[in-house]
């Protein structure tokens, strides 16, 4: 069986589905009625009335979330289809217009005094909404007037959102000329893992040529969005470009700074050391950037069919916990996953929570490599997390900060990795799997923190004026040289490679969440390995909590504390230990 495409009919049958228009009409009326009933009334409302208003607000937001998710998922699967693009844009515009009737609600809630909210939360009717109000009020100091907030919302569809759409459509339609053929750029990227070095080099140069052709546009998009963010940050009073992301992640600035510092200081013992080993294994004095993901020599590039890949993931989750295994099986036996690698489809991978009344959907591009199996395991972790949190907490309280959202995904990868290693009889292939896992960890921790450092420098410079393509390339190269070490020689064409990374466009400063999640999972997996009894139940309780608990409360049952600077080194020590093992086997 080939990799599947998803079926979105659990949301709507098509963009012309009468149910979609009926839902829009119903929600437009509900939003208008909600505004008439509650605008200007919250300061005088009783706790029971506030709880009633929150429930009504959640119902409208979930309805909009269902429509918006359908449009977003349809566009992701058919990004180069103009009809899907127009539909997605029309939905965004209509939702934005409708949402202006709801905007007052969060703004008025945040204008309530701390004393009034604390008193109201003592009432049992309002108590379940405490986590939602707590997280909403994190943004209270940065809230603008109702009029300004409304303008920012209404202009987003023709401003930031339009530039993001332009980037997505550009990258989805981007091809690279290789061996006389114009291929989707995602397909060319997969050849960077080919065992033939000449093929890797040819693929890398083809990617560089393709990116160079679009460089003026990609630099313009990046500068425009960075300026847009700087303007918004200045209006709201955020002290640093990353400050708004930290607030959204419900994590303290000092915790993120400690993570970044710990990883930066560990570059020599992690990436520098590993890639020096890899250069030796490949018989090279220096690695080029197209060698970074090269397979190890003397190991077959084994391809796994979709059936084999999904069986491995299913087994890993079921081996950890029967209930988790059943959830994985549900995803794998229902048309909830779009895994086929086809032209015109969004690159990368994601799990979209959609709404609790439906179910999450997963998108990836499965091509049969071991890394694709790990991607499936990763997104499966997201999907199960979203499913459990949505069922337990509902729409407004299920959303998990990015830092904690990566926990379930990376833990799922670790489970699948151990399953692969345990099932592999060949010592040589086991060593290959171990090296591949180290590389995945370096990509998740070192590479993502380097991405974060690149973003920090880029956004800092953009506050002083537009940044040229040459300067952006220089920042990128300097960060890569520092993070990956002297084992690499970076050719000038690598200066362009920052421009294909969608996270910089979609969610600025998202990337540190990967490192946060990986280090957290390394520590969490250590607890599981040392004390497996009762771990699965505590783990599922953590996932079900969704966004209701902060990281301190979620990790406390496992004896972990992310605020402790030593916590991050505990996670990084796991990676270093795996490199120690590879180093000893190379002697």
């Amino acid at each position: 069986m080939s990799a599947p495409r998803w079926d979105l009919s659990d949301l709507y049958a098509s963009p012309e589905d009468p149910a979609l228009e009926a839902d829009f009409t119903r929600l437009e009326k509900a939003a208008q009625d909600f505004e008439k009933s509650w605008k200007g009334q919250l300061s005088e409302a009783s706790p029971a009335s506030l709880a009633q208003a929150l429930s009504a607000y959640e119902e409208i937001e979930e309805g909009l979330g269902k429509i918006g998710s359908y449009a977003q998922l349809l566009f992701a699967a058919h990004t180069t289809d103009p009809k899907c693009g127009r539909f997605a844009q029309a939905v965004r515009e209509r939702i934005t217009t409708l949402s202006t009737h709801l905007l007052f609600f969060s703004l008025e809630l945040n204008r309530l005094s701390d004393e009034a909210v604390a008193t109201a939360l003592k009432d049992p009717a309002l108590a379940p909404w405490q986590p939602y109000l707590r997280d909403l009020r994190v943004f209270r100091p940065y809230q603008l007037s109702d009029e300004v907030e409304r303008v920012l919302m209404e202009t987003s569809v023709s401003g930031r959102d339009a530039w993001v759409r332009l980037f997505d459509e550009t990258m989805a339609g981007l091809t690279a000329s290789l061996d006389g053929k114009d291929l989707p750029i995602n397909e060319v990227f997969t050849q960077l893992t080919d065992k033939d070095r000449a093929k890797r080099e040819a693929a890398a140069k083809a990617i560089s040529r393709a990116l160079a052709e679009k460089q003026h546009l990609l630099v313009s998009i990046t500068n425009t969005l960075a300026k847009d963010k700087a303007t918004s940050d200045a209006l709201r009073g955020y002290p640093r470009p990353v400050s708004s992301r930290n607030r959204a992640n419900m994590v303290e600035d000092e915790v993120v700074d400690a993570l970044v510092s710990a990883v930066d200081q560990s570059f020599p013992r992690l990436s520098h050391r590993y890639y020096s080993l890899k250069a030796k294994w490949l018989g090279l004095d220096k690695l080029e950037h197209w060698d970074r993901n090269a397979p190890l020599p003397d190991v077959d590039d084994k391809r796994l069919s979709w059936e084999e890949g999904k069986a491995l993931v299913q087994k890993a989750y079921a081996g950890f916990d029967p209930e988790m295994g059943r959830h994985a099986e549900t995803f794998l036996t229902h048309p909830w996953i779009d895994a086929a690698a086809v032209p015109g489809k969004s690159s990368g991978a994601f799990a979209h929570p959609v709404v609790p009344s439906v179910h999450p959907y997963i998108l990836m591009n499965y091509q049969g490599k071991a890394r694709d199996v790990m991607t499936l395991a990763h997104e499966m972790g997201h999907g199960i997390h979203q499913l459990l949190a949505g069922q337990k907490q509902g729409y407004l309280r299920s959303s998990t900060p990015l830092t904690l959202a990566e926990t379930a995904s990376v833990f799922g990868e670790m489970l699948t990795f151990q399953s692969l290693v345990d099932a592999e009889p060949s010592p040589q292939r086991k060593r290959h799997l171990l090296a591949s896992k180290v590389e995945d960890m370096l990509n998740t921790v070192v590479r993502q923190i380097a991405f974060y450092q690149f973003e920090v420098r880029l956004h800092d410079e953009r506050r002083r004026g537009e940044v040229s393509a040459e300067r952006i390339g220089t920042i990128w190269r300097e960060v890569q040289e520092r993070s990956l070490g002297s084992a690499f020689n970076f050719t000038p064409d690598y200066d362009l490679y920052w421009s294909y990374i969608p996270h910089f466009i979609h969610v600025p400063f998202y990337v540190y969440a990967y490192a946060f999640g990986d280090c957290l999972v390394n520590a969490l997996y250590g607890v599981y390995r040392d004390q497996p009894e009762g771990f699965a139940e505590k783990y599922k309780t953590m996932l079900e909590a969704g966004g209701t608990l902060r990281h301190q409360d979620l990790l406390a049952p496992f004896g972990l504390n992310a605020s402790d600077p030593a916590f991050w080194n505990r996670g990084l020590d796991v990676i270093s230990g795996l490199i120690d093992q590879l180093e000893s086997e190379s002697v």
Side-chain angles (χ1 to χ4, degrees), residues 6-14 17 66 70 335 358-359 361:
W6 58 29
D7 179 356
L8 299 178
S9 61
D10 286 347
L11 292 165
Y12 296 100
S14 73
D17 188 345
K66 181 181 177 183
Y70 175 70
V358 186
H359 53 76
Y361 279 96

Side-chain angles (χ1 to χ4, degrees), residues 223-404:
N223 268 290
T224 299
L225 289 175
K227 177 60 177 176
D228 179 81
K229 176 171 170 50
T231 301
S232 175
D233 286 350
L235 284 171
R236 297 185 182 281
Y238 286 116
R240 297 160 57 186
V242 72
S243 296
S244 59
R245 175 59 44 212
N246 291 349
R247 302 302 182 276
N249 285 344
M250 303 303 159
V251 64
E252 301 80 8
D253 288 352
E254 56 269 23
V255 171
V256 176
D257 291 343
L259 164 65
V260 174
S261 176
V263 175
D264 185 90
Q265 291 173 23
S266 292
F267 286 161
R269 70 181 179 120
L270 299 180
S271 47
H272 296 189
R273 187 159 61 111
Y274 174 78
Y275 288 116
S276 293
L277 277 175
K278 185 165 188 174
K280 190 183 304 180
W281 294 334
L282 295 174
L284 300 171
D285 293 329
K286 286 276 190 179
L287 298 172
E288 300 293 345
H289 68 85
W290 53 79
D291 298 318
R292 186 173 56 84
N293 288 324
L296 298 186
D298 305 320
V299 177
D300 292 334
D301 189 14
K302 184 179 178 181
R303 297 282 174 153
L304 297 161
S305 69
W306 170 253
E307 291 298 321
E308 291 172 318
K310 75 176 191 178
L312 283 166
V313 173
Q314 162 70 23
K315 180 182 177 183
Y317 276 89
F320 169 67
D321 176 71
E323 183 185 349
M324 296 285 282
R326 288 192 294 274
H327 287 309
E329 183 178 16
T330 300
F331 273 92
L332 293 166
T333 55
H334 288 72
W336 300 355
I337 302 177
D338 196 316
V342 296
K345 177 179 168 182
S346 180
S347 62
F350 63 76
H352 193 304
V354 187
V355 292
S357 56
V358 186
H359 53 76
Y361 279 96
I362 290 172
L363 180 141
M364 63 175 297
N365 291 273
Y366 188 89
Q367 306 207 39
K369 297 193 175 186
R371 278 195 172 92
D372 295 328
V373 178
M374 291 296 120
T375 298
L376 177 59
H378 181 102
E379 301 306 336
M380 183 65 70
H382 279 310
I384 294 173
H385 190 182
Q386 292 161 358
L387 192 71
L388 293 174
Q391 291 173 347
K392 185 77 171 180
Q393 305 299 341
Y395 186 68
L396 291 180
R397 288 162 287 185
S398 61
S399 180
T400 308
L402 294 176
T403 43
L404 297 170

Side-chain angles (χ1 to χ4, degrees), residues 404 407 520 523-528 530-545 548-562 567 570:
L404 297 170
T407 303
L520 190 155
L524 199 63
Y525 196 82
V527 174
Y528 169 55
D530 296 340
Q531 304 167 4
E533 189 68 30
F535 181 92
E537 290 306 315
K538 287 193 288 186
Y539 179 75
K540 286 185 289 186
T541 299
M542 179 179 75
L543 300 189
E544 289 175 345
T548 62
L549 298 177
R550 298 283 179 84
H551 62 82
Q552 301 96 324
D553 303 313
L554 286 170
L555 295 177
F558 304 97
L560 299 173
N561 179 11
F567 171 83
R570 180 175 179 174

